[in-house]
Amino acid sequence: MLGLSARLAGLPAVGGRVLAGGLSCHVTDRPGRRPYHEVTGENVCPNMVRGIDNVREPRLNKGMAFTLEERQRLGIHGLLPPRFKTQDEQVDLCIKNVSRYQEDLNKFIYLMGLQDRNERLFYRVLSENVEQMMPLVYTPTVGLACQKFGLIYRRPRGLFITIHDKGHIYDVLKNWPEHDVRAIVVTDGERILGLGDLGAQGMGIPVGKLSLYTALAGIKPHQCLPIVLDVGTNNKELRQDEFYIGLKQERVSGAEYDEFIDEFMQAVVRRYGQNTLIQFEDFGNQNAFRFLEKYRNKYCTFNDDIQGTASVAVAGLLAAMKKLHSRLSDHTFLFLGAGEASLGIANLCVMAMEQEGLSSAEAHDKIFLVDSRGLIVNNRPEGGVTGHKAEFAKDMPPMKNLGDVVKKLKPSALIGAAAQPQAFTAEILKDMGEFNKEPIIFALSNPTSKAECTAQQAYEATQGRAVFASGSPFDPVTIGGKTLYPGQGNNAYIFPGVALGVLCTGMHHIGEEVFLRAAEALSRMVSDAELDAGRLYPPLNTIRDVSLQIAVQLAEHAYRTGKASTYPQPDDLETFIRSQLYDYHYGVSVQPVHPWPALQ
């Protein structure tokens, strides 16, 4: 009677569920716990949610999957069509809606709209249809989405922190409504995929990456925060674009830029804690390496372009070794490109070959790099060799043309990560096939338009003998009566699982050995049958389990080496990690009720 009297008086029900005006009260008898939503179990803030908010808030919304009892209890009876739909039916409708669009950008916009409307449904669609959906929310479509970001921007999905916020970054971080942030993906937009400086429009990358954190590794979406650090752009066309959404000024650099990044890192730790994972994404080459060296032993951080790309590429190489019945140290590697990706792969290859028994010098001797000025050699006349490239410089005459370098070195593995489309010409591919029974050819540049060659070109030039992988997806190729399925060396095989392992074990720092362990774990998941079909990676539809197994391997490594801080150590690491995963199911079975019962 007390609750009813309160309702009639227009006051909150004491210990009840209903407030005057259709408000639903979610205060419960859980002392010391944050208020939660009584149907979905979600933590919510503030502790009173209006009925309509259950439909408008994407984390709470279930659409027509709300049962009759839920609709009545939450005050949304009549706000939805009278039909009840299961989540399975909703998934089927979403897939049909995606297929209605002809252009991938429109499919991307639809999926982002779904994420804004119904979070659990979005992640179920993505998680259970990875092969179909991942190219739409991530590579390659996300590159086009970044280019068009000013046109397709709809609503906030992350933080934009500008150079003008310097001195107040912590205050900006406090504006983000979630307190339990565990993982951040941050970019300054200077080097988006192979597309260059896109400034603030690079936000599509952190959003896409963190969507995969949840869809592929089960990291809870409210624990993820995408951030763009907008310091301007040197892309003159963007600055003149009426639809550009960022600061229309040239990039700030030097001491002011470094102080800005320092303040950001400190503000993250102050706001969310020392163990917050900070993934750097698509920074310019020079800054990417500097920040990795500067912060790796002070924060829980890694650079996906350097370390994630390296790990997935080395995983592909280790899988290729299984197919070829050889070791990395038996091969000669030639890289087109000497930036973040190539150097990251080269350095991880060195670590792997050292593990096979080679010295550091012997491992470096197996690796050759070509940049925009030609082969990396000592005493090069045009500008010399600086930075991390110098470790791989050889005592050889200068050579500019990639084809000439291939003929001279006769490498067994050719790896492209320079965003130079069609750089692997038919002649180069043919030479690789003549020098090797089964040449290793990796065209890793993204998006697809930047790939060094296509799968079909590689297979045709080598009569189907190439061991091929790419950064973007390619269709199967039939040659000589055999259908080959090119492996996609997508970073999504690595970074979600690494993040899950790091977060579950509470690692303070992420060393290079973490990425080598991840690469080894991934390579072991490729079966002999898959290798024979041309695949160097497990099927994309198994990637959620791949992420889990990588996380388990890293957790074992973290506890074995004393790098974990989550104690006591769980008796069963896999069971423990599974218990942390996000559940995209609604959790309440939907049973259509007919006829409509009378309202009580």
Side-chain angles (χ1 to χ4, degrees), residues 372-548:
S372 58
R373 297 190 180 96
L375 185 64
I376 302 292
V377 297
N378 291 316
N379 302 315
R380 191 164 60 173
E382 294 185 12
V385 179
T386 59
H388 295 268
K389 300 179 187 180
E391 299 176 21
F392 296 95
K394 302 295 188 289
D395 291 321
M396 292 176 59
M399 301 180 72
K400 282 192 172 184
N401 183 271
L402 177 63
D404 294 338
V405 176
V406 170
K407 292 180 187 297
K408 172 71 174 177
L409 299 178
K410 296 181 173 58
S412 49
L414 179 62
I415 301 172
Q420 294 185 21
Q422 297 300 303
F424 295 171
T425 64
E427 181 180 0
I428 288 174
L429 295 171
K430 184 178 179 182
D431 284 344
M432 288 294 295
E434 290 179 356
F435 301 149
N436 305 278
K437 181 180 178 181
E438 294 176 285
I440 299 169
I441 298 170
F442 283 13
L444 300 180
S445 292
N446 286 317
T448 310
S449 61
K450 299 292 183 178
E452 288 76 12
C453 68
T454 67
Q456 184 162 350
Q457 289 167 339
Y459 289 135
E460 288 181 349
T462 61
Q463 297 80 47
R465 293 180 286 113
V467 181
F468 180 84
S470 59
S472 291
F474 284 107
D475 292 331
V477 177
T478 300
I479 187 166
K482 181 177 181 179
T483 300
L484 297 167
Y485 298 85
Q488 185 190 355
N490 197 309
N491 289 23
Y493 279 109
I494 293 294
F495 67 80
V498 167
L500 180 61
V502 167
L503 295 179
C504 286
T505 59
M507 289 188 202
H508 292 293
H509 309 295
I510 308 172
E512 291 300 313
E513 73 281 356
V514 166
F515 292 95
L516 184 54
R517 298 287 88 78
E520 292 169 345
L522 178 57
S523 68
R524 288 194 293 268
M525 295 182 218
V526 187
S527 69
D528 291 339
E530 289 163 349
L531 290 172
D532 186 61
R535 292 190 174 101
L536 296 180
Y537 300 94
L540 280 173
N541 59 15
T542 67
I543 198 168
R544 193 171 170 90
D545 188 58
V546 167
S547 297
L548 175 66

Side-chain angles (χ1 to χ4, degrees), residues 87-88 120 124 128 582-588:
Q87 194 182 38
D88 289 342
R120 290 183 186 273
R124 183 172 175 190
E128 296 183 356
Y582 173 70
D583 183 5
Y584 48 67
H585 295 92
Y586 293 147
V588 177

Side-chain angles (χ1 to χ4, degrees), residues 571-587:
D571 294 330
D572 186 325
L573 287 174
E574 182 170 340
T575 299
F576 168 69
I577 292 174
R578 283 185 183 276
S579 72
Q580 308 301 308
L581 302 184
Y582 173 70
D583 183 5
Y584 48 67
H585 295 92
Y586 293 147

